[in-house]
Amino acid sequence: MPKTFSKPIVLDRDGVINVDLWGYVTRKEEFEPINGSLEAIKKLTAAGFSVVVATNQACISKKIINEKQLEDVHEHMSSLVQEAGGKIDCIVFCPHEPKDNCSCRKPETGLLVEIEERIGSSLKNSFFIGDKESDLLCATRHGCIPLLVETGYGEKTLTSKHCPPKERCFKDLMDAVSYVLES
């Protein structure tokens, strides 16, 4: 039986937690946290949120890296978060390319279903913080509350017809977390 978490919050990875390389983070040495992101996760942890990460990683299907290499990157990210005083409770990823038409690649909602199964808690009405249109669509389709950060692809996503209202668009993760903690 999975542990039940009271207040889950979903974060995208690239462009939200770490600098998006406009390619793939293939080694832990390439993982560069966005300024303030580790501290933002610490604040969420301290407030009792269960921080979960949902990320598209087509680099696996493209054979750029394998799952073990991705796991090393995620372990490094988790250790940086822990060193900052925060915690990531669950990380799920889609290894597929868009052409694979899978049910887990955002904007599909399979990753969110997987998170719910792992943590034993619904994500409905939970915040989902992302920088891409696919994050926003995934959140909306699953009944989450999408928040947009302007880091990563976020500035470009501001012009999307799926962009949330202005009051749910933020400079970065720390700014979005401040909003979450005040809600």
Side-chain angles (χ1 to χ4, degrees):
M1 179 89 183
K3 183 178 175 186
T4 302
F5 294 95
S6 59
K7 296 189 286 187
I9 185 166
V10 182
L11 307 180
D12 175 46
R13 192 191 85 179
D14 301 323
V16 175
I17 299 172
N18 60 285
V19 173
D20 196 319
L21 300 180
W22 316 112
Y24 298 101
V25 175
T26 60
R27 301 180 351 257
K28 67 181 187 177
E29 295 81 13
E30 297 172 337
F31 185 89
E32 181 186 342
I34 292 172
N35 192 27
S37 68
L38 302 180
E39 294 79 11
I41 295 171
K42 174 187 176 179
K43 285 184 170 202
L44 289 170
T45 302
F49 281 89
S50 172
V51 179
V52 296
V53 175
T55 180
N56 288 342
Q57 294 296 322
C59 51
I60 299 214
S61 186
K62 293 177 180 179
K63 308 234 182 286
I64 295 169
I65 65 171
N66 60 38
E67 287 192 26
K68 171 65 176 114
Q69 291 167 305
L70 181 62
E71 185 179 313
D72 289 346
V73 170
H74 286 162
E75 284 177 7
H76 179 66
M77 173 179 69
S78 292
S79 70
L80 290 175
V81 167
Q82 278 187 309
E83 287 169 21
K87 183 177 183 218
I88 296 175
D89 292 296
C90 177
I91 302 169
V92 297
F93 64 91
C94 170
H96 306 109
E97 295 180 66
K99 67 179 183 176
D100 295 333
N101 292 320
C102 64
S103 62
C104 57
R105 184 172 177 81
K106 297 178 288 181
E108 300 305 322
T109 60
L111 291 178
L112 300 184
V113 171
E114 182 179 346
I115 289 169
E116 288 177 332
E117 289 169 359
R118 285 198 192 182
I119 68 172
S121 183
S122 173
L123 293 175
K124 304 283 188 246
N125 297 312
S126 295
F127 291 108
F128 184 139
I129 303 175
D131 68 317
K132 296 177 190 77
E133 185 175 74
S134 59
D135 298 322
L136 303 174
L137 284 167
C138 178
T140 302
R141 289 174 177 174
H142 199 73
C144 297
I145 302 164
L147 303 180
L148 178 69
V149 291
E150 294 175 19
T151 49
Y153 284 89
E155 247 182 78
K156 178 181 175 194
T157 308
L158 284 169
T159 61
S160 165
K161 68 178 181 180
H162 301 288
C163 185
K166 189 170 65 174
E167 62 271 10
R168 286 194 279 133
C169 297
F170 305 94
K171 178 181 76 168
D172 57 19
L173 184 57
M174 183 62 89
D175 197 21
V177 166
S178 295
Y179 171 84
V180 168
L181 296 179
E182 291 168 9
S183 296

